[in-house]
Amino acid sequence: MSQSGLDDEELFGEAATEIRADVEDHLASARDALPEASAVWDVEADNTLGVLNGLRTALAVDEVQDHLRDAKKWYTIGERADAFEDAADLENEIEAIEDVLDDLEDVSDAVGDLASAIPELRGELEEIHAEGDEGEVDEDDDA
């Protein structure tokens, strides 16, 4: 095969196009992996703990993180190779998904804290009320 058929500029252009396509694909996959707004707003559960556990499940971000990491990896390679003519759109989308991901992680942490605290609070309240009921029974017995 003749080397004249493989022009470096042409190969670089093809590689740049493929890298951009990879970044775009991973960003689309990250976007698709984000929870739907209804998943964090509409909840069906019998109690508070069920609501919190459902919300925590809806806020799962592992798949988003994986796709965003791959998008950033390919974006960084393309940027360092100066392969993109204009990558502002990619950079903006990466930042937007990162912002939402940060918010999801913060909310997920808060929901996890609440999911841990609510059963404990419930137990303390039941205990206090049980002690109060026992005190009322004791007073009735004395009369």
Side-chain angles (χ1 to χ4, degrees):
M1 175 175 203
S2 161
Q3 291 295 329
S4 62
L6 297 175
D7 180 70
D8 287 346
E9 277 302 309
E10 184 179 325
L11 289 175
F12 186 79
E14 284 180 29
T17 300
E18 290 174 12
I19 290 172
R20 183 176 185 87
D22 283 344
V23 173
E24 290 171 347
D25 288 347
H26 285 296
L27 288 173
S29 295
R31 224 180 9 265
D32 291 344
L34 289 169
E36 294 291 327
S38 61
V40 298
W41 190 256
D42 300 330
V43 182
E44 292 183 29
D46 294 332
N47 56 45
T48 304
L49 189 57
V51 169
L52 293 172
N53 285 332
L55 184 56
R56 190 170 18 181
T57 299
L59 296 172
V61 295
D62 292 341
E63 189 176 348
V64 178
Q65 290 171 329
D66 292 343
H67 288 297
L68 184 61
R69 178 178 170 74
D70 286 341
K72 288 173 70 173
K73 176 176 55 178
W74 289 112
Y75 174 81
T76 301
I77 289 170
E79 275 294 291
R80 288 192 181 165
D82 199 24
F84 304 131
E85 288 180 24
D86 181 20
D89 60 327
L90 297 176
E91 184 177 4
N92 290 339
E93 189 163 1
I94 288 170
E95 288 174 6
I97 293 173
E98 281 181 322
D99 289 346
V100 171
L101 185 59
D102 288 344
D103 290 344
L104 283 169
E105 290 171 336
D106 290 346
V107 171
S108 182
D109 289 345
V111 168
D113 291 346
L114 280 173
S116 297
I118 293 294
E120 186 176 316
L121 177 61
R122 177 183 179 206
E124 291 172 354
L125 290 170
E126 287 175 339
E127 189 176 304
I128 290 291
H129 286 291
E131 289 173 4
D133 291 343
E134 288 174 8
E136 289 176 15
V137 171
D138 289 343
E139 288 176 15
D140 291 340
D141 289 342
D142 291 340

